[in-house]
Amino acid sequence: MKRAALITLIFGLATLGVFVAFRFLPEVQGATMLGDLPGFVSSFQRAETLADLAVLFGVPPDAASLAAMNALNTLDLYAFIPSFTIFLIAGVFMIAGAPNGPLPWAAIVFALIGAGADVIETSRQLGLGRDFSNAEAYLPIAPWHWLKYGALGLNGLAVAGLCFLRGPRRYVLGIAALLPLPAVLAAWAGLAEPRFFAIALTLYWVALLVAAGVSLTRKPA
C-alpha cells in the first residue's frame, strides 16, 4: 500500500508538472493566435471536418499555431500519457491493495483504454499537424477524444466503487471520482461545455493525488 501510494504520488506530481509545462512550451508562447489554450486544444481534439480545422488554424493554416500544437502533442504523447496512466493504475493498487475482484480490474482496464485512445488521438493530431495538406486522412479525431474521456470517466466510476466499498473508506475521493463520467456524457450530449468535464477530471485526479499523500503520512493503526 505504501509503495503504491508513493508511486501514485510521484506520477501524480509528474502528471501535474507536465500539464503545467504545456503552457510554457516556447512554441505555445509564440503562438498568439491560440488565445484560450485549453479551449483551442479541446476544439482540436473534437475536430471532425476540414471546416473545423479552418476555424481553428485559418486558411491558409497559421504556421505558429500548428507548431504549437505539434510541440504540445509531442509532450503529451511521450510524457503526459505515460505519467497519468501509471498514476491511475498505481492509485488502484493504493486503494484496493491486490487487484482482487471486478472493480480493481475494471478501473485498470478503463485507464488503459483511455490511455490507448489518447495515444491514437494524439498521434492523429501530430500526423495532421506535420502533413496538413493531407489533413483529411487524419480526420475525424473526435471519436477517439470521446472514447478517451468516456473510458477515464468509467475508471473514475470503478475507483469510486472501491472508495465506498473497501476499507479504509475514502468518501471525498469517491465523490470526486464520480464526477467525470456524468460530465463527459453531458458534454457529449450537448448539454454542457467540454470544459466542465475537464474540471471534473481535474478534481478527481487532484483528490487521488491528495489521497496518495495522506496515505504516505498516515501512521498504521
Side-chain angles (χ1 to χ4, degrees), residues 1 89 91-109 158-159 161-163 165-167:
M1 295 285 284
I89 292 174
V92 174
F93 282 89
M94 176 187 74
I95 296 166
N100 298 321
L103 275 178
W105 285 112
I108 292 170
V109 168
V159 167
L162 290 172
C163 291
L165 298 175
R166 295 198 181 187

Side-chain angles (χ1 to χ4, degrees), residues 18 29 34 39 46 51 63 85 94-97 99 102 108 115 137 139 156 164 167 173 183 188 195 199 202 217 219:
V18 176
Q29 293 286 301
L34 294 183
R46 290 180 285 112
T85 305
M94 176 187 74
I95 296 166
I108 292 170
L139 296 172
F164 295 141
L173 174 57
W188 178 74
R195 70 177 68 245
I199 292 170
T202 300
T217 57
K219 294 181 180 180

Side-chain angles (χ1 to χ4, degrees), residues 205-218:
W205 287 10
V206 169
L208 183 59
L209 180 61
V210 171
V214 171
S215 293
L216 283 174
T217 57
R218 180 186 291 135

Side-chain angles (χ1 to χ4, degrees), residues 120-153:
I120 296 172
E121 172 199 78
T122 305
S123 298
R124 283 175 172 261
Q125 288 179 292
L126 279 170
L128 189 155
R130 294 166 178 169
D131 186 23
F132 200 86
S133 60
N134 295 313
E136 196 167 11
Y138 301 96
L139 296 172
I141 297 170
W144 303 105
H145 167 83
W146 292 116
L147 176 60
K148 172 184 70 175
Y149 280 111
L152 293 177

Side-chain angles (χ1 to χ4, degrees), residues 24-43:
F24 296 99
L25 290 169
E27 295 86 350
V28 172
Q29 293 286 301
T32 56
M33 185 178 171
L34 294 183
D36 173 23
L37 181 62
F40 192 101
V41 170
S42 179
S43 295

